[in-house]
Amino acid sequence: METTAHGGSASLAGSDYWWYRTRARLLRTVLGPYADGAGDVLDVGSADGPSVAWLRGLHHHVTLDIDPRGLTPGSCVCGSATSLPFADATFDLVGAFDVLEHCEPEDAVLAEVRRVLRPGGRFLLTVPAYQWLWSDFDVRNGHVRRYTRGRAVAALEDGGFEVRRATYAFAATFPAFVVERLARRARGLVRPDDGRPADVVRLPRTPPAVDRVLMALGSVDDRVLARRDLPFGSSVVVAARRPLA
């Protein structure tokens, strides 16, 4: 059992990219309430640091990633999500943000997360949405699959978790995202020539004016998500927990 071979997170080369800054705000809005009171936290796939800084600072925080380049000195472990090097019932909270789509088999990761969580512990995660939007960008990132909200919820429930909240995110920017991905498909960019993941995916440059517009659209999502779930979007965000019994 192993994760799919792929390189490092695109955030290694673009931590200030608008998407990471927006996602940090959206994740805090949706998932922040489920992190309250967590003492021991495991961040799986923590090379994607720009989006999870809100999860750090108030807890005993352990970071794990298969790529050592995203790890900093301290409480860091290089390892695989399919074989977590921790004892049973070690953590109050596990976060895995855009990790599960890289992993095969999926159920091995979910079983490992459940194992290292204490009863009642929370599992917070994100995954990319909609298989019909698959493109070369997914291949370059080492993705195995994309998800619907229903698919993500079903996987977690089958893995023995209780889902507390599941919503889409990035709805305001979704029309532009769909146009861009479908344009890539129309140009035949479904698989790159070599069919293999990139080491670190290069993110597109956005002019300052476009960056401001995209951040403003993300603020629209943030205001809505503070009150209710979104019916569509390019990401799925889920809060679940390991049952007490």
Side-chain angles (χ1 to χ4, degrees):
M1 299 186 296
E2 59 183 14
T3 54
T4 302
H6 60 88
S9 167
S11 67
L12 292 172
S15 61
D16 62 344
Y17 189 57
W18 73 270
W19 189 84
Y20 289 110
R21 288 182 284 141
T22 298
R23 187 172 71 156
R25 184 169 56 191
L26 300 183
L27 294 188
R28 185 167 190 166
T29 296
V30 175
L31 301 178
Y34 300 95
D36 289 346
D40 297 301
V41 176
L42 172 63
D43 178 11
V44 177
S46 53
D48 197 7
S51 291
V52 296
W54 59 274
L55 196 56
R56 299 174 181 168
L58 299 177
H59 319 281
H60 173 225
H61 192 280
V62 178
T63 59
L64 177 141
D65 201 279
I66 199 168
D67 186 341
R69 289 174 295 179
L71 301 173
T72 55
S75 298
C76 299
V77 178
C78 187
S80 171
T82 58
S83 184
L84 296 173
F86 306 105
D88 295 357
T90 298
F91 298 100
D92 300 306
L93 186 149
V94 174
F97 304 111
D98 280 27
V99 171
L100 193 59
E101 70 274 13
H102 294 276
C103 301
E104 189 66 57
E106 172 191 73
D107 57 358
V109 178
L110 297 177
E112 279 293 274
V113 170
R114 191 179 189 280
R115 180 184 65 80
V116 301
L117 275 173
R118 294 171 180 139
R122 286 142 285 175
F123 182 28
L124 312 181
L125 72 155
T126 61
V127 286
Y130 303 121
Q131 190 67 30
W132 56 270
L133 288 173
W134 185 273
S135 75
D136 65 308
F137 190 79
D138 294 282
V139 178
R140 287 297 191 195
N141 274 285
H143 293 173
V144 178
R145 67 189 76 80
R146 299 179 72 91
Y147 289 79
T148 61
R149 176 168 55 186
R151 168 76 173 78
V153 168
L156 285 164
E157 291 179 341
D158 288 347
F161 292 93
E162 298 173 347
V163 174
R164 297 299 187 176
R165 185 176 183 185
T167 180
Y168 289 98
F170 289 97
T173 55
F174 189 62
F177 176 82
V178 171
V179 169
E180 189 271 341
R181 288 303 168 92
L182 293 183
R184 295 175 78 91
R185 292 177 65 91
R187 297 198 306 271
L189 296 178
V190 177
R191 293 187 65 86
D193 291 340
D194 59 12
R196 293 179 299 180
D199 180 37
V200 176
V201 174
R202 297 174 60 184
L203 296 169
R205 293 183 178 179
T206 54
V210 174
D211 187 277
R212 288 192 293 271
V213 169
L214 293 170
M215 292 293 293
L217 290 172
S219 295
V220 174
D221 272 26
D222 191 51
R223 289 194 294 271
V224 175
L225 286 168
R227 303 187 304 273
R228 62 177 65 91
D229 295 340
L230 290 167
F232 60 87
S234 58
S235 291
V236 181
V237 184
V238 186
R241 75 163 194 162
R242 176 180 171 175
L244 290 171

